[in-house]
Amino acid sequence: MKPIRLLLPILFFCLFSITACKKDKTAGPQGDTGATGAQGATGATGPAGPQGPAGPAGGPQGPQGEKGDKGDKGDTGAAGPQGATGATGAQGAQGATGATGATGAAGPQGPVGPQGPIGATGATGATGATGAQGPKGDKGDTGATGATGAKGATGATGATGATGAQGPKGDKGDPGNADVQNFVLINKGVVVAGLTKFSIPAITQSIVDSGTVLVYLRNTGSSTGWYALPYSEAGHTINFNDYGVGYIDLKANFTQANGIDFRVVVIPGTAITTLNAANPHLNVKNFNEVAAALHLSN
């Protein structure tokens, strides 16, 4: 056993020395690789012998030697021939697509017919003529004043007769119009833009300060009564807007060139007092009542 235990360190030392010697020597040129001989047949494997008993533990393990040079790579053997690729099976035939039916031909477009003539515009009916206003009659001549007769002689004064009995009290006379004036404006019109102004000279500053002015209307040529302003009919309105010295202003929501008569009643302040006292329930919107109270002619 002792010779074996000494042999292991010696073998390790020899192996280390051989490796060191290889590193110190320069390798010569590599010779041609010889042909690889045919591999012999593998011999039959002999029966495995019984495992021997484990040997005694050797001495301490020496240091690991340096890694040896990599051995030369042997030639790669020739690749065997590739087998032939099998043939691809034939693809089945694609079924035929049915034929598309033919599109029918479009018929020709017919010609555009001629445009018919435009019918004649009917004639506008003639507007009836407005009757001419008759001329104002000439003012009649004033009759000649007769000659004044000669003054007769003054007769003698007769004797004073006895005083007769007092007669009965007479009826109360109708009140006068106390300087009331009224004017009729014939066949007049109104405008929608601004105010319609009429000249009334009887309206003085005294009338503006303490009197009053009443305005009525009717259709020209009408025999019906007079209507007080403000007046409204079928959406048309006329209002008595204002008055001043010498004029009145009317406001309308339509325009009409003519066909309206206006009556303007100018009442001084003293007449108003008398009128109210004699007619406490007078309706000034009713011209008939006003005319009766002030003795105005229609």
Side-chain angles (χ1 to χ4, degrees), residues 33-260:
T33 302
T36 303
Q39 183 174 352
T42 302
T45 302
Q51 183 175 355
Q61 183 175 353
Q64 181 176 352
E66 295 181 10
K67 186 176 180 180
D69 295 335
K70 185 176 181 180
D72 297 328
K73 183 177 181 181
D75 294 336
T76 302
Q82 181 175 352
T85 302
T88 302
Q91 182 175 351
Q94 182 175 350
T97 302
T100 302
T103 301
Q109 181 175 350
V112 177
Q115 181 175 352
I118 298 176
T121 302
T124 302
T127 302
T130 302
Q133 182 174 349
K136 184 176 181 181
D138 297 332
K139 183 176 181 180
D141 297 332
T142 303
T145 304
T148 304
K151 184 176 181 181
T154 303
T157 303
T160 302
T163 303
Q166 183 176 351
K169 184 178 181 180
D171 297 332
K172 183 178 181 181
D174 295 330
N177 60 18
D179 298 326
V180 173
Q181 302 183 64
N182 78 103
F183 303 86
V184 179
L185 309 176
I186 302 296
N187 199 27
K188 300 299 180 180
V190 291
V191 294
V192 68
L195 300 173
T196 303
K197 185 183 295 289
F198 293 113
S199 175
I200 308 295
I203 303 178
T204 62
Q205 186 62 53
S206 176
I207 297 296
V208 174
D209 294 339
S210 60
T212 190
V213 177
L214 305 176
V215 182
Y216 305 86
L217 65 76
R218 71 180 180 186
N219 291 328
T220 299
S222 172
S223 60
T224 60
W226 294 88
Y227 300 96
L229 298 188
Y231 177 78
S232 176
E233 181 180 5
H236 291 172
T237 61
I238 302 178
N239 293 292
F240 181 18
N241 188 76
D242 192 13
Y243 66 92
V245 176
Y247 72 89
I248 62 170
D249 281 333
L250 306 183
K251 176 64 177 174
N253 69 348
F254 66 101
T255 295
Q256 181 172 320
N258 49 35
I260 307 174

Side-chain angles (χ1 to χ4, degrees), residues 172-178 274 278-279 293-295:
K172 183 178 181 181
D174 295 330
N177 60 18
T274 303
N279 304 274
L294 295 176
H295 307 287

